[in-house]
Amino acid sequence: MLIAGDLLALNGALIGTYRFFAPAIETSGAIMPSDPVVVARFLLFFNLMALAVFTFNGLYEMRRGASRVDEAFKVFTAISLVAIGAIVINTLLPQIGADELPFTRDVLAWSWTMAIAACVMLRALHRSVVIWLRRHGIDTRRVLIVGARDPGQLVWNIIRHRPELGYRVQGFVSDSAPIGSMVLDLPVLGRTPQLGRVVRATRADEVIIALSARSTQDLLEIIALAEDEAVTIKVYPDTFQLITNNELSIGDLSALPLVSVKNAALDNPWNRILKRTLDLVVASLILLFGAPIFMLIALAIRLESPGPVFFLQERVGMDKQPFWMIKFRTMRPDAELLGTWTTENDPRVTRVGRFLRRTSLDELPQLINVLIGEMSIVGPRPEQPRWVEQFSQEIPRYMRRHKEKAGLTGWAQVNGLRGDTSIKERTRYDLYYIENWSLLFDLKIILRTIANFLTGKQENAY
């Protein structure tokens, strides 16, 4: 709805202004285009550029409780940039053999003014619709408040007096109030060590930690209890100074500022669509143009040793869902009976398999997993269920990796962390990727993967 409203405001302002000033433009001697293709070509580039500018200005982040004044200022900035971009596009059109539109001072000034006014008004209308929906139980978020003393009560009082925010507070998690008791008409659901279980039981979407007089270690331990769950974690700023080792961003709940401790970029549906689009494009192109190479690899595998061309193994993906990962077979057919973890100079690996592993060509069939939607081009590498169970007990935050799709390549892999290397170090790189995802970051990892393949820098590939 926001995108449709913004495009309606921009295009309506531009086209309406042109129609209004058309007689004056023609009187001045400028030529108005008669071919509709000329206008359509300009509007195509204009709208694509506008969407990019609005997105990078954070106008589609959909933050709850965001200030209308802040949003209006962002709209002003974005439309000003769009106006400059429109002039640039119009100037460059003759370079590709297209006609330009006659931009006059009046057209620029009035279309810019009308676009800002229309965009702000349509966004206000959108906000009113969203508030109405939230008041009727649509687009709501389940919230838990950790701490039932003054900070927690302050958060609860603000939320319950702002139903338009769409928060449905399930209860407190507290070590001070008895479980089952009521604090300001809100139940106490458990103790802080039980936070993960309470999150799952209430199907919470967001956890707000509002504690005071807690040590740094205590706060980080409480955060860790919820980090493996699919929730957003925010901290009341009473404890802001205690967080020293996290990427933090300031959000707000009405007039109450909160600190986002974990709010991964891929929690945003828009970002998930961008990532999925990249997956489909890259996987389709490689499968299409790489088909002859795939056939040669399959032939080489069959000529060297009997058995299937592909090797299927159960791995754990997003939300701990198992799936069958597809690879080219690189070992003897009875390899799994002779061992589990692959080591350097493993005698089970065939000669063709050694080459495939060294070049990572054995991983290419996983593009089928990508097309199906079980994997992504970039993400944490999936492990077998038994290793996931073991690592989740030994490594803090390990299960956070499984809140996103497993990847064919990843930030850990392009930095040499593959094969028989430190799982703790791999997990650290995987979590950094998840918490700092961007489309540009994915493209960077893909390009580094290709560069490593072309230069033979496949560290620990055996």
Side-chain angles (χ1 to χ4, degrees):
M1 288 175 64
L2 274 178
I3 292 172
D6 291 341
L7 293 181
L8 177 62
L10 291 170
N11 289 274
L14 183 62
I15 295 171
T17 303
Y18 253 110
R19 289 178 64 89
F20 182 81
F21 284 103
I25 292 172
E26 292 176 345
T27 302
S28 67
I31 301 174
M32 292 291 291
S34 57
D35 187 354
V37 175
V38 173
V39 178
R41 186 186 292 114
F42 171 82
L43 289 177
L44 173 63
F45 291 123
F46 172 76
N47 282 280
L48 291 175
M49 180 266 299
L51 281 177
V53 170
F54 270 60
T55 300
F56 284 111
N57 272 274
L59 284 164
Y60 299 123
E61 290 180 357
M62 300 291 289
R63 285 172 50 196
R64 292 168 189 262
S67 165
R68 298 189 186 193
V69 175
D70 290 345
E71 183 183 58
F73 181 76
K74 285 185 177 182
V75 167
F76 173 86
T77 304
I79 292 180
S80 299
L81 292 172
V82 168
I84 296 171
I87 296 171
V88 172
I89 290 172
N90 197 50
T91 304
L92 294 176
L93 282 176
Q95 306 300 318
I96 60 173
D99 295 330
E100 61 180 340
L101 299 179
F103 272 174
T104 66
R105 184 177 58 186
D106 287 339
V107 167
L108 285 172
W110 281 102
S111 59
W112 173 76
T113 304
M114 296 301 295
I116 292 173
C119 195
V120 169
M121 285 191 294
L122 286 175
R123 280 179 165 264
L125 176 61
H126 171 270
R127 186 187 289 260
S128 299
V129 171
V130 170
I131 289 173
W132 185 87
L133 291 173
R134 287 173 180 169
R135 289 181 184 275
H136 289 79
I138 300 171
D139 186 39
T140 59
R141 287 175 70 82
R142 293 169 173 262
V143 177
L144 287 175
I145 300 174
V146 179
R149 292 183 175 174
D150 289 345
Q153 292 177 28
L154 174 61
V155 172
W156 165 229
N157 273 323
I158 289 178
I159 290 176
R160 68 174 174 174
H161 289 108
R162 294 292 304 279
E164 69 272 13
L165 293 174
Y167 285 114
R168 300 291 180 264
V169 181
Q170 305 301 297
F172 289 108
V173 174
S174 172
D175 292 332
S176 59
I179 296 176
S181 64
M182 303 294 289
V183 176
L184 297 180
D185 301 322
L186 198 66
V188 176
L189 301 177
R191 301 284 184 233
T192 52
Q194 304 166 333
L195 180 56
R197 190 167 63 187
V198 176
V199 167
R200 292 189 293 273
T202 58
R203 293 179 296 161
D205 304 298
E206 192 164 309
V207 172
I208 298 177
I209 301 175
L211 299 169
S212 59
R214 289 293 186 110
S215 69
T216 304
Q217 189 59 37
D218 285 346
L219 182 61
L220 294 177
E221 286 177 359
I222 293 170
I223 292 170
L225 292 171
E227 274 191 317
D228 287 341
E229 309 300 329
V231 293
T232 297
I233 303 173
K234 293 183 179 178
V235 180
Y236 178 65
D238 206 41
T239 47
F240 170 80
Q241 67 277 12
L242 300 179
I243 310 291
T244 59
N245 195 28
N246 288 277
E247 291 274 335
L248 301 178
S249 60
I250 302 296
D252 62 86
L253 177 64
S254 184
L256 179 67
L258 296 174
V259 179
S260 294
V261 176
K262 193 214 80 177
N263 191 7
L266 285 171
D267 290 342
N268 186 320
W270 178 255
N271 288 339
R272 288 189 179 275
I273 291 171
L274 288 176
K275 185 170 175 62
R276 181 58 179 156
T277 302
L278 179 67
D279 288 342
L280 291 173
V281 170
V282 174
S284 300
L285 289 175
I286 296 176
L287 286 171
L288 179 63
F289 293 104
I293 298 175
F294 288 15
M295 293 178 65
L296 290 175
I297 293 172
L299 180 62
I301 292 171
R302 289 303 299 269
L303 289 175
E304 183 183 12
S305 67
V309 168
F310 296 110
F311 171 69
L312 273 69
Q313 189 176 64
E314 187 179 26
R315 296 292 178 100
V316 179
M318 186 174 176
D319 293 331
K320 292 187 68 175
Q321 293 299 312
F323 70 96
W324 292 100
M325 190 179 76
I326 311 169
K327 299 177 69 173
F328 281 122
R329 181 172 61 85
T330 57
M331 291 186 172
R332 298 166 43 175
D334 59 350
E336 288 198 299
L337 301 176
L338 304 175
T340 53
W341 202 267
T342 308
T343 57
E344 192 170 5
N345 299 318
D346 197 314
R348 299 171 298 164
V349 180
T350 63
R351 286 176 298 174
V352 171
R354 201 167 300 283
F355 169 77
L356 294 177
R357 283 172 172 266
R358 190 167 61 249
T359 58
S360 296
L361 289 172
D362 61 316
E363 310 282 2
L364 289 178
Q366 290 162 47
L367 292 165
I368 298 171
N369 294 116
V370 174
L371 283 182
I372 294 172
E374 296 168 332
M375 292 179 65
S376 178
I377 295 293
V378 181
R381 288 294 291 161
E383 299 287 357
Q384 298 178 54
R386 53 182 163 179
W387 298 123
V388 170
E389 198 63 38
Q390 178 182 328
F391 297 153
S392 64
Q393 301 298 320
E394 298 174 353
I395 302 173
R397 302 181 66 199
Y398 179 81
M399 292 309 297
R400 179 74 184 102
R401 301 168 73 253
H402 293 279
K403 295 304 174 184
E404 310 300 343
K405 286 183 182 179
L408 192 150
T409 185
W411 185 230
Q413 283 63 48
V414 298
N415 284 284
L417 293 168
R418 52 183 295 176
D420 194 14
T421 54
S422 168
I423 299 299
K424 286 185 179 179
E425 195 68 9
R426 276 195 242 174
T427 301
R428 189 166 70 86
Y429 274 76
D430 288 337
L431 294 179
Y432 177 86
Y433 166 76
I434 291 170
E435 293 165 3
N436 295 275
W437 178 88
S438 69
L439 199 61
L440 187 61
F441 198 5
D442 267 8
L443 292 172
K444 176 182 176 180
I445 293 171
I446 292 171
L447 291 174
R448 281 189 59 173
T449 302
I450 295 171
N452 289 345
F453 170 73
L454 294 176
T455 58
K457 293 180 180 178
Q458 303 285 349
E459 298 179 54
N460 302 308
Y462 44 76

